[in-house]
Amino acid sequence: MELFFSPLACSMASRITLYEAGATATFTEVDAKTKRTLSGLDYYAINPLGLVPALRHPCGEMLFENAAILQALADLHPQAKLAPPSGFARSVLQQWLSFIGTELHKALFIPLFDKAQPPASRDKIMQAGAKRLAVLQAHLERREFLLDAWSVADAYLTTVLNWHVTADVDLARWPAVKAYFERMCARRATATAMSEERALYAAELRRH
Ligand SMILES: N[C@@H](CCC(=O)N[C@@H](CS)C(=O)NCC(=O)O)C(=O)O
C-alpha cells in the first residue's frame, strides 16, 4: 500500500488513520510546487489533477479523493474500528466526510489561503464558513467525536482545522470546536503524524 501525500495537506488525514490502525504503508512525498515525488517521478502521471492524496490500494488499483481513501483505509483495518461497517451509521460517516470536504476544506479553508483575496470576498467566505463552523460547534458541544467513537472523519476534520492559523480563522469563536481540535491533537497517532509532517513541511520550505 502506498500513500502519495504532501506535508500538512489534506493527505495527513490518511497518515493519521494509518497510525491509528497501527498499519504500515509506503509514504511517497509529492512536492506541492514541482508536482514531482521526491525521487523525481511526475505526479501528474499518477493523478492528472496533481492533487493529493492518492492511494495505491493493496489490490493494485489507484484510488483518489479523501472520502474514498479514508473509508478504504478503515475497511482494510476492520479490527481498528475506524468507521462503522455499514448501515445508517456508515451513511452518517459519509455525511461528515462530505461536509468536511465540500463545506470546510474546499469552500472555507482553501479560498482563505489565497492572501490576494480582496477583503470583501474574504468576508463573504468567512460569513458562509461561520455558519458551517456553528453547525460543528452545536454538534461538538455534546460529543467527544463526530460519531460515537473516533473515526476517519475525525482524522479529516482535525487535518483541515489544523489550517486555521494559516487561514487566519480564530477558532476561539467556536469554543467546542477549539476544544475538540486540541483534544484530537493530543491523540498519540495524530500528534505523531503532525510532528512528522511539520518537519517535512519545513524541509519543503527550505527546498524552495
Ligand atoms: N477532492 C480532493 C481534493 C484534494 C485536494 O484539494 N488536495 C490538495 C491538498 S489539501 C492539493 O493536492 N492541492 C494541490 C493543488 O491544488 O495543486 C480530495 O478530497 O481528495
Side-chain angles (χ1 to χ4, degrees):
M1 182 158 56
E2 181 177 11
L3 178 73
F4 293 85
F5 78 100
S6 296
L8 300 182
C10 52
S11 45
M12 190 172 75
S14 292
R15 185 188 292 272
I16 294 172
T17 296
L18 285 161
Y19 290 178
E20 284 277 353
T24 53
T26 301
F27 293 90
T28 300
E29 182 171 340
V30 178
D31 187 297
K33 289 222 161 46
T34 63
K35 298 291 179 194
R36 291 193 171 269
T37 65
L38 294 197
S39 62
L41 281 179
D42 177 10
Y43 184 60
Y44 287 114
I46 304 280
N47 182 350
L49 293 179
L51 299 173
V52 289
L55 181 76
R56 196 182 306 281
H57 191 274
C59 74
E61 298 289 337
M62 289 302 306
L63 192 63
F64 305 102
E65 298 291 326
N66 278 292
I69 290 173
L70 290 169
Q71 292 183 76
L73 292 175
D75 292 343
L76 284 165
H77 305 96
Q79 76 295 343
K81 297 189 166 46
L82 306 179
S86 61
F88 184 72
R90 183 65 170 236
S91 300
V92 175
L93 171 78
Q94 290 168 343
Q95 168 199 287
W96 282 113
L97 290 172
S98 300
F99 174 84
I100 298 160
T102 59
E103 306 296 334
L104 299 179
H105 176 177
K106 287 293 183 181
L108 175 62
F109 286 103
I110 296 288
L112 291 182
F113 285 157
D114 180 3
K115 297 297 175 199
Q117 194 84 251
S121 330
R122 201 192 142 79
D123 289 352
K124 204 169 162 197
I125 294 161
M126 202 50 237
Q127 269 171 29
K131 289 187 190 154
R132 274 78 184 156
L133 289 166
V135 166
L136 267 186
Q137 165 71 22
H139 187 71
L140 293 171
E141 262 168 4
R142 49 199 166 84
R143 290 175 167 275
E144 188 175 355
F145 308 108
L146 285 171
L147 307 185
D148 290 341
W150 191 93
S151 73
V152 296
D154 295 300
Y156 193 12
L157 181 55
T158 305
T159 297
V160 305
L161 289 176
N162 190 42
W163 300 333
H164 74 279
V165 176
T166 315
D168 201 15
V169 173
D170 183 7
L171 286 188
R173 284 178 63 191
W174 302 276
V177 177
K178 186 170 188 284
Y180 163 89
F181 176 63
E182 288 165 358
R183 218 162 46 237
M184 294 302 111
C185 288
R187 289 177 74 86
R188 195 163 57 171
T190 303
T192 306
M194 279 184 170
S195 126
E196 289 175 0
E197 296 221 355
R198 265 190 226 112
L200 293 171
Y201 185 71
E204 184 179 287
L205 291 182
R206 283 196 297 274
R207 277 200 304 279
H208 294 292

